[in-house]
Amino acid sequence: MSTHQTAGGLVCVGIGMTLGSHISPLARSYIEQADVVFAGVSDGLVERWLQRMHADVRSLQPYYAHGKSRMHTYRQMVDAMLVEVRAGRRVCGVFYGHPGVFAWVPHKAIEMARSEGYHARMEPGISAEDCLYADLGIDPGTCGCQHFEASQLLVYRRRIDPSAWLILWQAGLAGDRSLKRFSTGPAYRHVLVDVLARDYPMDHEVIVYQAATLPIGAPRIERTTLRALPGAQLGMADTLAIPPAQAMELDAEICARLAALDAASEEVTA
């Protein structure tokens, strides 16, 4: 790990979604060579696994509390890591999945460390998105794939393309604007259904997905309909994957322009 000229540095690594299966050799090296390791991972089992790689692993989970703003929690996590960086230590922040995907803390910690002159970088990991593509057999290049955080989709006027896949992250938190809850209920999902019904029929399939976190486990893949969605059991780790509801529509005007360009190109090369 490279260090600041007066010592101290930060690297945030991703260890993937499935325990022990997704970690890269470089991420493991950063963990083993750090002076102190902070763990923002899925459960205590993963923390114990990390402790086999390093003697000083400090959990970030105790910063969470019911009724406490997650943003306040996140700032405390950043401060905890930066205190050690400023003390001249090589710090490794370990996060499940990819440390740059739906993870405010790694981005902010790296930004602050760099602004203070310390070396800081991010090492990517296998994300829930990567697992979703594999488990559901989705190729985003086939018809496109759009991603939104569920509450963001509700609060802002976003444009949905129903001819592409739609992926909604943190679906169990849909509608939460307090940043204090760990789930919302059926009434909030009714609002989500009303928004989605602008572009999808009520009998359209939706898939509740959660990546496997243990090698012996299986991903959660539950198929239901948009109409039945309010009654589904959803937590903050659950994702909604919505298949296309219609075929892609050709843009005749643009196709004509491209055909003209092709014809002109053929004339030049003839």
Side-chain angles (χ1 to χ4, degrees), residues 4-24:
H4 180 259
Q5 60 183 358
T6 56
L10 171 68
V11 60
C12 291
V13 307
I15 57 170
M17 300 303 298
T18 305
L19 174 62
S21 302
H22 293 166
I23 187 170
S24 70

Side-chain angles (χ1 to χ4, degrees), residues 42-55:
S42 53
D43 56 49
L45 183 62
V46 180
E47 290 182 5
R48 290 193 293 273
W49 173 70
L50 286 172
Q51 288 165 359
R52 294 166 56 186
M53 283 184 265
H54 199 283

